[in-house]
Amino acid sequence: MYILTDVIKFPPASYADYDGLLALGGDLSIQRLLLAYTSGIFPWYNEGQPILWYSPDPRMVLFPSELKVSKSMKQLIRKNKFEVTFNKDFKNVLMNCATIKRTEQDGTWITRDMQSAYLELNKLGYAISVEVWENDELVGGLYGIWLEGKKVFCGESMFSKVSNASKYGFITLVNWLQKKDVKLIDCQVYTDHLASLGAREIDRSRFLSYLE
């Protein structure tokens, strides 16, 4: 494992260990975060820990053409079950992703420092949010980093307060990204939820080729 210094630099992603852990330390400056994402690396740590940087192998991704939309979801979309917006309330989406209870984890990796960093990334146009509304109430959403020049979207987190809200937002996002000729959506690590939407694992080397 590599210990980062004040120099904005990462070791090659291929140096990561079995669990995908590549380095620790450094900071969450905008310059370092953008270098990380364009290098296939992302921060993932809990409050009180040093900043940990990951590049897992294999990598969970979604190719837009492989998006799976169930019959029940198609019905909800036809009925316009929810209203979906982009970047209307990034801060609220971020806070919900950080505080919503998740059965598979204790605490959150969206630390206070990470919240500040991603709010700044949003102001600069790199981080975008998707809001899902029902009767003017925010019931779901997600956020991530849009590497427009690379045509890659790096999903970070999503939340849902009512059934299917986050899926509805995710499907809307994928359709929006397809119009912008996105190559793939980075989902980072495997979850059953993402797999049900058509995401799958690919070799890290192949993933990195899309960022070149």
Short mmCIF file of all heavy atoms in Angstrom, two decimals, residues 141-171:
data_model
loop_
_atom_site.label_atom_id
_atom_site.label_comp_id
_atom_site.label_asym_id
_atom_site.label_seq_id
_atom_site.Cartn_x
_atom_site.Cartn_y
_atom_site.Cartn_z
N GLY A 141 -32.88 9.42 -4.86
CA GLY A 141 -31.91 10.16 -5.65
C GLY A 141 -30.55 9.49 -5.66
O GLY A 141 -30.34 8.46 -5.02
N LEU A 142 -29.66 10.09 -6.39
CA LEU A 142 -28.29 9.58 -6.48
C LEU A 142 -27.37 10.71 -6.93
O LEU A 142 -27.84 11.75 -7.41
CB LEU A 142 -28.21 8.41 -7.45
CG LEU A 142 -28.61 8.68 -8.89
CD1 LEU A 142 -27.38 8.77 -9.80
CD2 LEU A 142 -29.53 7.59 -9.41
N TYR A 143 -26.08 10.49 -6.75
CA TYR A 143 -25.11 11.48 -7.24
C TYR A 143 -23.85 10.77 -7.70
O TYR A 143 -23.60 9.61 -7.36
CB TYR A 143 -24.79 12.52 -6.16
CG TYR A 143 -23.89 12.02 -5.05
CD1 TYR A 143 -22.51 12.23 -5.10
CD2 TYR A 143 -24.41 11.33 -3.96
CE1 TYR A 143 -21.69 11.76 -4.09
CE2 TYR A 143 -23.58 10.87 -2.94
CZ TYR A 143 -22.23 11.09 -3.02
OH TYR A 143 -21.40 10.62 -2.03
N GLY A 144 -23.06 11.48 -8.49
CA GLY A 144 -21.82 10.91 -8.98
C GLY A 144 -21.02 11.95 -9.73
O GLY A 144 -21.38 13.13 -9.78
N ILE A 145 -19.91 11.50 -10.30
CA ILE A 145 -18.99 12.37 -11.03
C ILE A 145 -19.14 12.13 -12.52
O ILE A 145 -19.03 10.99 -12.99
CB ILE A 145 -17.53 12.09 -10.61
CG1 ILE A 145 -17.37 12.22 -9.09
CG2 ILE A 145 -16.58 13.04 -11.34
CD1 ILE A 145 -17.71 13.57 -8.54
N TRP A 146 -19.40 13.19 -13.26
CA TRP A 146 -19.58 13.11 -14.71
C TRP A 146 -18.30 13.57 -15.38
O TRP A 146 -17.98 14.75 -15.43
CB TRP A 146 -20.77 13.98 -15.12
CG TRP A 146 -21.05 14.13 -16.59
CD1 TRP A 146 -21.47 15.28 -17.21
CD2 TRP A 146 -20.98 13.14 -17.65
NE1 TRP A 146 -21.67 15.08 -18.55
CE2 TRP A 146 -21.37 13.77 -18.85
CE3 TRP A 146 -20.62 11.80 -17.68
CZ2 TRP A 146 -21.41 13.09 -20.07
CZ3 TRP A 146 -20.65 11.12 -18.90
CH2 TRP A 146 -21.05 11.76 -20.07
N LEU A 147 -17.53 12.58 -15.86
CA LEU A 147 -16.30 12.86 -16.61
C LEU A 147 -16.69 13.05 -18.07
O LEU A 147 -16.54 12.15 -18.90
CB LEU A 147 -15.31 11.72 -16.44
CG LEU A 147 -14.89 11.39 -15.00
CD1 LEU A 147 -13.97 10.17 -14.98
CD2 LEU A 147 -14.22 12.58 -14.33
N GLU A 148 -17.19 14.22 -18.38
CA GLU A 148 -17.78 14.46 -19.70
C GLU A 148 -16.77 14.24 -20.82
O GLU A 148 -17.10 13.69 -21.87
CB GLU A 148 -18.36 15.87 -19.76
CG GLU A 148 -19.17 16.13 -21.01
CD GLU A 148 -19.94 17.43 -20.94
OE1 GLU A 148 -19.77 18.18 -19.97
OE2 GLU A 148 -20.73 17.69 -21.88
N GLY A 149 -15.53 14.66 -20.60
CA GLY A 149 -14.52 14.49 -21.63
C GLY A 149 -14.19 13.04 -21.90
O GLY A 149 -13.79 12.67 -23.01
N LYS A 150 -14.35 12.18 -20.89
CA LYS A 150 -14.10 10.75 -21.03
C LYS A 150 -15.36 9.98 -21.40
O LYS A 150 -15.29 8.78 -21.71
CB LYS A 150 -13.57 10.19 -19.71
CG LYS A 150 -12.33 10.87 -19.18
CD LYS A 150 -11.10 10.50 -19.97
CE LYS A 150 -9.84 11.06 -19.32
NZ LYS A 150 -8.62 10.70 -20.09
N LYS A 151 -16.53 10.63 -21.32
CA LYS A 151 -17.82 9.98 -21.57
C LYS A 151 -18.05 8.83 -20.59
O LYS A 151 -18.56 7.76 -20.95
CB LYS A 151 -17.91 9.46 -23.01
CG LYS A 151 -17.75 10.56 -24.07
CD LYS A 151 -18.85 11.60 -23.98
CE LYS A 151 -18.72 12.64 -25.07
NZ LYS A 151 -19.75 13.71 -24.96
N VAL A 152 -17.66 9.06 -19.33
CA VAL A 152 -17.84 8.08 -18.27
C VAL A 152 -18.49 8.76 -17.08
O VAL A 152 -18.09 9.85 -16.67
CB VAL A 152 -16.48 7.46 -17.84
CG1 VAL A 152 -16.64 6.62 -16.58
CG2 VAL A 152 -15.89 6.63 -18.97
N PHE A 153 -19.51 8.11 -16.52
CA PHE A 153 -20.15 8.62 -15.30
C PHE A 153 -19.76 7.69 -14.15
O PHE A 153 -19.92 6.47 -14.25
CB PHE A 153 -21.67 8.66 -15.43
CG PHE A 153 -22.36 9.16 -14.19
CD1 PHE A 153 -22.46 10.52 -13.93
CD2 PHE A 153 -22.90 8.26 -13.28
CE1 PHE A 153 -23.08 10.99 -12.79
CE2 PHE A 153 -23.53 8.72 -12.12
CZ PHE A 153 -23.62 10.09 -11.87
N CYS A 154 -19.28 8.27 -13.06
CA CYS A 154 -18.85 7.49 -11.90
C CYS A 154 -19.91 7.63 -10.80
O CYS A 154 -19.97 8.66 -10.12
CB CYS A 154 -17.51 7.98 -11.38
SG CYS A 154 -16.19 7.97 -12.64
N GLY A 155 -20.74 6.62 -10.66
CA GLY A 155 -21.77 6.65 -9.64
C GLY A 155 -21.17 6.54 -8.25
O GLY A 155 -20.26 5.74 -8.02
N GLU A 156 -21.68 7.32 -7.32
CA GLU A 156 -21.15 7.32 -5.96
C GLU A 156 -22.11 6.70 -4.95
O GLU A 156 -21.76 5.82 -4.19
CB GLU A 156 -20.80 8.75 -5.53
CG GLU A 156 -19.41 9.18 -5.95
CD GLU A 156 -18.33 8.32 -5.31
OE1 GLU A 156 -18.33 8.13 -4.08
OE2 GLU A 156 -17.48 7.81 -6.05
N SER A 157 -23.35 7.17 -4.90
CA SER A 157 -24.28 6.64 -3.92
C SER A 157 -25.70 6.97 -4.34
O SER A 157 -25.93 7.91 -5.12
CB SER A 157 -24.00 7.25 -2.54
OG SER A 157 -24.82 6.67 -1.54
N MET A 158 -26.65 6.19 -3.84
CA MET A 158 -28.06 6.45 -4.09
C MET A 158 -28.86 6.14 -2.84
O MET A 158 -28.38 5.47 -1.93
CB MET A 158 -28.57 5.64 -5.29
CG MET A 158 -28.50 4.14 -5.12
SD MET A 158 -29.27 3.24 -6.51
CE MET A 158 -28.18 3.69 -7.87
N PHE A 159 -30.07 6.69 -2.77
CA PHE A 159 -30.94 6.41 -1.64
C PHE A 159 -32.37 6.34 -2.12
O PHE A 159 -32.72 6.85 -3.18
CB PHE A 159 -30.80 7.50 -0.55
CG PHE A 159 -31.58 8.76 -0.85
CD1 PHE A 159 -32.84 8.96 -0.30
CD2 PHE A 159 -31.06 9.74 -1.68
CE1 PHE A 159 -33.56 10.12 -0.57
CE2 PHE A 159 -31.77 10.89 -1.97
CZ PHE A 159 -33.03 11.08 -1.41
N SER A 160 -33.20 5.71 -1.32
CA SER A 160 -34.61 5.59 -1.65
C SER A 160 -35.43 5.56 -0.37
O SER A 160 -35.11 4.80 0.55
CB SER A 160 -34.85 4.32 -2.47
OG SER A 160 -36.18 4.25 -2.93
N LYS A 161 -36.45 6.38 -0.31
CA LYS A 161 -37.35 6.40 0.85
C LYS A 161 -38.65 5.66 0.56
O LYS A 161 -39.38 5.31 1.49
CB LYS A 161 -37.66 7.84 1.27
CG LYS A 161 -36.45 8.59 1.83
CD LYS A 161 -36.85 9.98 2.29
CE LYS A 161 -35.68 10.70 2.93
NZ LYS A 161 -36.07 12.06 3.38
N VAL A 162 -38.94 5.47 -0.71
CA VAL A 162 -40.12 4.69 -1.10
C VAL A 162 -39.68 3.68 -2.16
O VAL A 162 -38.67 3.86 -2.84
CB VAL A 162 -41.26 5.58 -1.65
CG1 VAL A 162 -41.71 6.58 -0.61
CG2 VAL A 162 -40.84 6.28 -2.93
N SER A 163 -40.44 2.62 -2.31
CA SER A 163 -40.08 1.55 -3.22
C SER A 163 -39.87 2.05 -4.65
O SER A 163 -40.68 2.84 -5.17
CB SER A 163 -41.20 0.49 -3.20
OG SER A 163 -40.90 -0.57 -4.07
N ASN A 164 -38.77 1.63 -5.26
CA ASN A 164 -38.44 1.87 -6.68
C ASN A 164 -37.99 3.29 -7.00
O ASN A 164 -37.67 3.58 -8.16
CB ASN A 164 -39.62 1.52 -7.59
CG ASN A 164 -39.94 0.04 -7.58
OD1 ASN A 164 -39.06 -0.79 -7.71
ND2 ASN A 164 -41.22 -0.30 -7.41
N ALA A 165 -37.91 4.17 -6.01
CA ALA A 165 -37.55 5.56 -6.31
C ALA A 165 -36.13 5.69 -6.86
O ALA A 165 -35.90 6.39 -7.86
CB ALA A 165 -37.71 6.43 -5.07
N SER A 166 -35.17 5.01 -6.22
CA SER A 166 -33.79 5.13 -6.70
C SER A 166 -33.62 4.47 -8.06
O SER A 166 -32.88 4.97 -8.92
CB SER A 166 -32.81 4.53 -5.69
OG SER A 166 -33.06 3.15 -5.50
N LYS A 167 -34.30 3.33 -8.28
CA LYS A 167 -34.25 2.69 -9.60
C LYS A 167 -34.80 3.62 -10.68
O LYS A 167 -34.25 3.72 -11.78
CB LYS A 167 -35.05 1.38 -9.59
CG LYS A 167 -34.34 0.21 -8.96
CD LYS A 167 -35.15 -1.07 -9.16
CE LYS A 167 -34.45 -2.28 -8.58
NZ LYS A 167 -35.22 -3.52 -8.80
N TYR A 168 -35.90 4.27 -10.38
CA TYR A 168 -36.54 5.20 -11.32
C TYR A 168 -35.56 6.31 -11.69
O TYR A 168 -35.40 6.65 -12.87
CB TYR A 168 -37.79 5.77 -10.66
CG TYR A 168 -38.78 6.42 -11.58
CD1 TYR A 168 -39.96 5.77 -11.95
CD2 TYR A 168 -38.58 7.71 -12.07
CE1 TYR A 168 -40.90 6.37 -12.77
CE2 TYR A 168 -39.51 8.33 -12.90
CZ TYR A 168 -40.67 7.65 -13.25
OH TYR A 168 -41.60 8.26 -14.07
N GLY A 169 -34.88 6.86 -10.69
CA GLY A 169 -33.90 7.91 -10.96
C GLY A 169 -32.72 7.41 -11.74
O GLY A 169 -32.22 8.09 -12.64
N PHE A 170 -32.25 6.21 -11.42
CA PHE A 170 -31.10 5.64 -12.11
C PHE A 170 -31.42 5.39 -13.58
O PHE A 170 -30.61 5.71 -14.46
CB PHE A 170 -30.69 4.34 -11.43
CG PHE A 170 -29.45 3.72 -12.00
CD1 PHE A 170 -28.20 4.22 -11.70
CD2 PHE A 170 -29.53 2.60 -12.84
CE1 PHE A 170 -27.05 3.63 -12.23
CE2 PHE A 170 -28.40 2.02 -13.36
CZ PHE A 170 -27.15 2.54 -13.06
N ILE A 171 -32.58 4.84 -13.86
CA ILE A 171 -32.99 4.58 -15.25
C ILE A 171 -33.09 5.89 -16.02
O ILE A 171 -32.65 5.99 -17.17
CB ILE A 171 -34.32 3.82 -15.28
CG1 ILE A 171 -34.13 2.39 -14.75
CG2 ILE A 171 -34.90 3.78 -16.69
CD1 ILE A 171 -35.42 1.66 -14.42
#
